Amino acid sequence: VAQDAYGEDAQFVVKVDGAQVGGVQTAHASHAAGAWDVVNLTGDFSAASNVTFQFINDANDGHGHDRNLYLTDLKFDDHAVGNAHASISSAGTGAVYSDVAELWSNGSVGYDLHWSHDML
């Protein structure tokens, strides 16, 4: 994950099949600087069908200062889950590109894992 920080760092929660895994996570890496944080989660996700990253503390001042969250290189059981399997929730604004998912407001990006079980 990476962020555009404004006031404080971007925070998010991770959910697997709707259940939160771990606590509130904080991004520290600067997207503008090309840096990325690695977030590792452990558990038995062998039957998981969806993983969601929910951005929870969006902020902006209306004058170009904004807090955003960026995601890239999701791996599930050491298999890459590409952004072709991602979508932005109707509650959030953002975009999904081939190399990054961007959240510009509180909301979430979900990754469909159904296809990945065929690879395991």
Side-chain angles (χ1 to χ4, degrees):
V1 299
Q3 67 167 338
D4 295 328
Y6 167 61
E8 62 184 53
D9 291 329
Q11 294 184 318
F12 60 99
V13 295
V14 181
K15 297 180 180 180
V16 176
D17 292 335
Q20 186 170 324
V21 178
V24 172
Q25 305 281 333
T26 302
H28 300 286
S30 167
H31 182 255
W36 294 94
D37 290 327
V38 174
V39 177
N40 291 306
L41 301 172
T42 58
D44 179 6
F45 307 124
S46 60
S49 62
N50 182 276
V51 62
T52 302
F53 291 79
Q54 182 178 359
F55 183 27
I56 61 172
N57 71 331
D58 180 46
N60 71 68
D61 67 358
H63 300 287
H65 300 103
D66 196 7
R67 185 179 310 131
N68 299 305
L69 183 67
Y70 302 86
L71 301 112
T72 191
D73 295 333
L74 178 67
K75 290 186 179 178
F76 176 75
D77 284 344
D78 291 324
H79 295 282
V81 178
N83 283 336
H85 302 280
S87 61
I88 302 293
S89 73
S90 59
T93 59
V96 176
Y97 303 104
S98 62
D99 61 338
V100 66
E102 302 179 356
L103 288 168
W104 307 321
S105 67
N106 287 341
S108 59
V109 59
Y111 291 84
D112 179 4
L113 301 177
H114 287 99
W115 68 273
S116 67
H117 295 292
D118 297 334
M119 297 174 56
L120 301 178

